[in-house]
Amino acid sequence: MPPLTLADKLRDRFDGETRALIFSAAKLADERKVRIALVGGAVRDLLLDQPLGDADLMLEHPAKPLVTELAAMLGAELISHERFFTFSLVLSNAKKIDIVTAREEVYPGPAKLPMVTPSSIEQDMKRRDFTINAMACWLNRDSLGKILDPFDGRSDMKRKTLRALYEKSFFDDPTRLFRAARFAGRLGFGVEPATEDGIVDSIKAGAPRLLSPVRLRHEFELILKERNAAPILAILKRWKALELIHPGWKAVDPASYQPAPQSALPERLTAWFRPFGEAAARKMMTDLAFEKHVKVEVLSKLVQYRR
Ligand code: CTP
């Protein structure tokens, strides 16, 4: 059998409700002569045949009238984050699909949130983190399944290489170094040398220290939520980046973190904090601005281990 095209995968790999939303959005976009594409992680995961996360759809400005019509058509709740030109549709099964407007970003300073202005889908690809994440799959009828791949992410996929789009990427957004470890560890990819240099330089310059505790904690939670966090933690240890999340993690041996397979986040956090003991774990979770209910749950599990 010939390999599946991306248009085939669009039809085959999404659940029914997501597929219906994608194709309804594409039909409306055709009627209104607006360009529409699937972007980011879903394109990467379709091409690599990886498990699919959320589908991010991208429209060109102005997206709001089309998104409003789409929400009414599907009976979905519409949440608008207009300051960021972003919309979320909450489907009847509580699944959330993000629809974003193509934009350009300017970073006012290292680790600061970017200033955003509407732009084209081509231009939007340039503000992204890695070549394998900077691809779009067109959804308009005349170009369905065609790929926009301005940085040749497909070659990097073949070479199993994670490559940042530009040198200062990790200064603009130091969370990207945690993302680099996450994608390299998850996909078994190597980090391209200039990209790794950029990461090490941003660490040496202290850029990640400008990130707020909430952003650091969020990146850490994303790592622990991965099916297999071990290779990711090992990469961060090699970069001396675990201690950027919390200075108390300098001497941590990630190999001692062994959560039960398929456990939920609180169990995983408990496995991570167990070697530190309750008092230190409480302080670290406060330092990292963990939500109160998570903190309470993890601490109560740690108490059980004491008994
Ligand atoms: N992105 C970026 N820089 C960031 C965060 C996100 O460039 N700091 C871009 C990437 O193009 C990424 C897309 O936004 O693919 C969506 O981000 P996100 O949903 O966080 O990640 P995914 O790539 O979908 O990965 P995951 O499978 O972990 O959800």
Side-chain angles (χ1 to χ4, degrees):
M1 251 202 348
L4 292 182
T5 64
L6 207 49
D8 297 330
K9 291 186 187 186
L10 281 171
R11 289 187 201 95
D12 285 3
R13 294 223 31 225
F14 285 107
D15 63 88
E17 206 163 13
T18 306
R19 184 173 54 235
L21 180 131
I22 291 175
F23 285 99
S24 306
K27 188 163 174 282
L28 271 185
D30 277 335
E31 284 165 19
R32 290 176 172 263
K33 302 201 184 335
V34 174
R35 296 201 304 165
I36 183 167
L38 183 73
V39 295
V43 180
R44 175 197 69 222
D45 293 335
L46 282 177
L47 288 168
L48 289 172
D49 291 323
Q50 287 283 312
L52 291 178
D54 293 337
D56 288 339
L57 295 183
M58 178 167 285
L59 292 164
E60 288 179 347
H61 191 66
K64 184 142 194 211
L66 196 150
V67 179
T68 308
E69 196 175 328
L70 185 64
M73 209 169 100
L74 298 169
E77 184 195 349
L78 170 64
I79 304 171
S80 301
H81 315 278
E82 283 184 66
R83 199 157 82 81
F84 301 104
F85 305 102
T86 302
F87 307 89
S88 301
L89 291 184
V90 187
L91 306 179
S92 57
N93 59 359
K95 203 175 163 73
K96 205 175 103 215
I97 305 265
D98 288 332
I99 303 187
V100 298
T101 314
R103 84 273 310 275
E104 279 173 58
E105 286 181 348
V106 178
Y107 284 89
K112 293 260 187 317
L113 291 173
M115 284 164 352
V116 175
T117 47
S119 187
S120 67
I121 293 179
E122 283 82 355
Q123 201 61 30
D124 188 286
M125 294 299 112
K126 297 184 188 164
R127 69 178 177 90
R128 292 177 177 260
D129 49 6
F130 306 108
T131 61
I132 61 166
N133 287 346
M135 296 189 210
C137 168
W138 294 108
L139 297 174
N140 296 99
R141 195 184 0 210
D142 58 357
S143 49
L144 180 70
K146 290 214 173 95
I147 301 179
L148 174 65
D149 180 12
F151 299 96
D152 202 10
R154 279 171 293 182
S155 293
D156 283 335
M157 283 179 174
K158 287 196 193 109
R159 288 190 285 257
K160 290 176 144 292
T161 295
L162 196 72
R163 183 191 307 271
L165 299 197
Y166 63 102
E167 223 169 273
K168 293 273 175 250
S169 181
F170 303 98
F171 283 84
D172 280 347
D173 179 358
T175 64
R176 288 176 172 163
L177 79 91
F178 301 104
R179 295 172 60 83
R182 201 150 55 78
F183 295 121
R186 181 201 294 174
L187 301 170
F189 277 27
V191 180
E192 182 258 341
T195 300
E196 188 150 354
D197 287 350
I199 291 172
V200 172
D201 287 351
S202 92
I203 293 175
K204 280 191 188 145
R209 300 211 179 280
L210 301 173
L211 293 170
S212 67
V214 171
R215 291 184 78 193
L216 286 167
R217 189 247 301 158
H218 178 65
E219 291 304 318
F220 182 61
E221 286 182 337
L222 289 177
I223 292 165
L224 289 204
K225 281 180 187 167
E226 291 279 331
R227 201 165 308 194
N228 182 12
I232 302 168
L233 295 167
I235 295 171
L236 291 175
K237 175 85 183 173
R238 178 155 61 80
W239 291 340
K240 299 188 173 42
L242 282 174
E243 62 223 61
L244 299 172
I245 304 177
H246 195 284
W249 297 357
K250 197 168 180 169
V252 169
D253 176 6
S256 65
Y257 167 69
Q258 290 187 342
Q262 295 182 354
S263 49
L265 184 64
E267 280 77 30
R268 293 175 183 214
L269 288 166
T270 308
W272 177 261
F273 283 115
R274 201 173 160 186
F276 299 103
E278 281 157 56
R282 180 189 300 274
K283 173 158 187 341
M284 287 170 180
M285 282 194 284
T286 305
D287 293 343
L288 287 169
F290 272 88
E291 285 166 285
K292 192 166 174 210
H293 70 97
V294 177
K295 209 162 103 178
V296 169
E297 189 171 351
V298 172
L299 288 172
S300 76
K301 288 187 194 302
L302 286 173
V303 171
Q304 286 162 22
Y305 281 121
R306 189 177 10 142
R307 290 195 193 114

